Amino acid sequence: MCKQKLGSQRCEKGFTLLDSLLQLMILVLFAHFFLLFFSWYAQKNNGMFNNDELHWELFAFQLQKELTHSEMFTYNPKLSKIIYSTDRGDLSVSNMSGELRRGLGYQPLLFGVAQLTFDYSEYILKMNVKFHDGTERSREYIVANFEE
């Protein structure tokens, strides 16, 4: 519908070229932010915010804290098991049915473990863990006290 003013033959309807270009630029900006969000989300699962990585780091920190304050430490390379004594009593870590468990298997510490190996030499305990998804993690711990 045309709006006409007195003395004017001008008819205004629809969008101008400038309006269309402005809306197109806003749409392109939103599309870029949309793509950036999904690329960030894809990288999030490979980085430090991954739940598996956080579980590994929490387990490693807890074990280092307990081994630092241990009074006695023994390890069995054939069974891939370590036993240490702290103020909480005798504790152990071993692989039982795909999980790193403490004690007799009542407290799970880390899930999805396919293989676990321990190597000990000169107050350094090296732990290698291979997970079911194929990733491998290793960590070295300082063990202050050792009794054979």
Side-chain angles (χ1 to χ4, degrees):
M1 180 149 63
C2 291
K3 293 181 182 179
Q4 293 186 353
K5 296 182 182 178
L6 293 174
S8 172
Q9 299 281 343
R10 191 171 173 187
C11 182
E12 296 178 13
K13 53 180 160 176
F15 292 103
T16 64
L17 179 63
L18 188 60
D19 288 337
S20 300
L21 288 176
L22 182 65
Q23 290 179 3
L24 183 63
M25 286 178 20
I26 291 172
L27 179 68
V28 168
L29 277 174
F30 278 121
H32 280 288
F33 286 126
F34 189 72
L35 291 174
L36 284 173
F37 171 76
F38 279 108
S39 66
W40 169 80
Y41 189 75
Q43 290 177 356
K44 182 181 89 82
N45 288 333
N46 297 329
M48 196 57 193
F49 298 112
N50 186 351
N51 282 337
D52 294 337
E53 188 69 30
L54 289 174
H55 290 162
W56 167 254
E57 291 298 327
L58 285 173
F59 165 73
F61 176 75
Q62 179 183 5
L63 187 60
Q64 177 63 60
K65 182 179 168 187
E66 291 174 351
L67 288 175
T68 301
H69 300 292
S70 66
E71 299 166 0
M72 182 270 308
F73 173 80
T74 58
Y75 95 108
N76 188 339
K78 294 178 183 177
L79 296 176
S80 293
K81 182 177 184 176
I82 58 172
I83 301 169
Y84 52 95
S85 177
T86 63
D87 55 352
R88 294 178 17 191
D90 291 339
L91 302 173
S92 66
V93 175
S94 62
N95 187 7
M96 293 183 167
S97 66
E99 299 172 347
L100 288 185
R101 291 189 175 254
R102 173 164 304 172
L104 299 173
Y106 61 89
Q107 184 180 7
L109 300 171
L110 194 61
F111 297 101
V113 176
Q115 183 180 2
L116 170 69
T117 57
F118 290 109
D119 293 321
Y120 180 82
S121 65
E122 299 180 12
Y123 301 102
I124 303 289
L125 174 70
K126 184 171 183 178
M127 180 177 70
N128 295 315
V129 178
K130 185 174 183 180
F131 293 94
H132 289 298
D133 63 359
T135 58
E136 293 185 26
R137 303 268 194 278
S138 65
R139 186 65 55 104
E140 291 183 353
Y141 301 97
I142 298 172
V143 182
N145 299 308
F146 178 78
E147 292 181 11
E148 293 195 49

